[in-house]
Amino acid sequence: KRLVVLVSGSGTNLQALLDALAAEGAEGYGAEIVAVGADRDSIAGLERAERAGLPTFVCRVKDFATREEWDRALAEATAAYEPDLVVSAGFMKIVGKEFLARFGGRFVNTHPALLPSFPGAHGVRDALAYGAKVTGCTVHFVDDGVDTGPIIAQGVVEVRDEDDASALHERIKEVERRLLVDVVGRLARNGYRIEGRKVVIQ
Ligand code: GRF
């Protein structure tokens, strides 16, 4: 299976996928990353892709007259690599109708909270501020909402009294990277069905 991974930052989730591929091979893992896309330049995520010899593309919102044109450009840049599965690994933009029309049902996102709790761009900070005792991460299919698509898997992380947002996020990411690698591999190797809000991996 062909994967395109979308990033916006440090790309440690991308790196976890790259490391799994290096260890297991595309055959063993069931997928290969054919390109990495981003919404901004000069981020570690793109450097990780380049170090792995992967093609990259950047679609910046500010380079387009409208959000719809950006969405279309992102969809076209992604489609050029003919992915079977698109993985948002810390991609911090909400995609639009065009992207979902092409990749809905095969577009997976990872979120650093236990959805439906604490959706959006500050899930770690919000869980901490709320006083949650456990939080975690969620891998889900992307639908037309924000972090609202069918949940595939979740991992639980305890919140410690001494946590600040970055310490908690680092601990969540340790679980998240393993969860994402496991889920993407299973989706790619086994195939899956989405039945309403339920995801069945064969
Ligand atoms: C991840 O925790 C992801 O869930 C969130 O931002 C973080 C990205 O981390 N949206 P990285 O870029 O994969 O290191």
Side-chain angles (χ1 to χ4, degrees):
K1 290 286 188 297
R2 298 171 59 87
L3 300 182
V4 166
V5 182
L6 302 179
V7 296
S8 293
S10 52
T12 63
N13 279 284
L14 164 67
Q15 191 61 54
L17 290 166
L18 290 168
D19 295 348
L21 274 163
E24 301 173 43
E27 282 307 300
Y29 185 64
E32 58 178 329
I33 299 174
V34 294
V36 173
D39 62 328
R40 63 197 76 179
D41 291 305
S42 36
I43 47 165
L46 289 173
E47 288 163 26
R48 294 177 191 278
E50 285 149 16
R51 257 203 304 276
L54 293 176
T56 60
F57 58 89
V58 177
C59 288
R60 301 184 309 176
V61 170
K62 60 174 180 275
D63 290 344
F64 296 88
T66 67
R67 184 74 182 214
E68 288 70 26
E69 285 169 55
W70 169 81
D71 184 55
R72 181 180 306 279
L74 183 74
E76 284 167 2
T78 302
Y81 292 97
E82 299 178 338
D84 298 295
L85 204 56
V86 183
V87 179
S88 159
F91 186 65
M92 296 305 277
K93 289 285 186 304
I94 304 299
V95 297
K97 280 200 293 292
E98 178 68 27
F99 196 93
L100 288 174
R102 290 189 191 209
F103 300 109
R106 50 201 183 104
F107 182 28
V108 167
N109 178 48
T110 179
H111 180 75
L114 292 175
L115 295 174
S117 297
F118 313 118
H122 307 289
V124 179
R125 183 198 71 187
D126 296 345
L128 200 58
Y130 193 90
K133 297 301 179 191
V134 291
T135 185
C137 48
T138 302
V139 179
H140 65 96
F141 281 103
V142 177
D143 66 6
D144 56 1
V146 178
D147 298 327
T148 52
I151 291 173
I152 307 167
Q154 296 187 296
V156 177
V157 174
E158 283 209 338
V159 182
R160 295 178 185 158
D161 295 344
E162 69 276 10
D163 272 338
D164 61 11
S166 62
L168 177 55
H169 200 168
E170 274 318 304
R171 205 158 64 252
I172 290 170
K173 286 169 87 169
E174 284 163 24
V175 175
E176 179 178 37
R177 292 191 279 259
R178 286 199 301 273
L179 194 71
L180 186 68
V181 166
D182 174 59
V183 163
V184 169
R186 286 193 292 124
L187 292 174
R189 287 191 301 276
N190 304 7
Y192 59 91
R193 293 191 316 277
I194 304 176
E195 295 165 354
R197 291 207 58 82
K198 201 163 166 322
V199 176
V200 179
I201 300 181
Q202 266 93 359

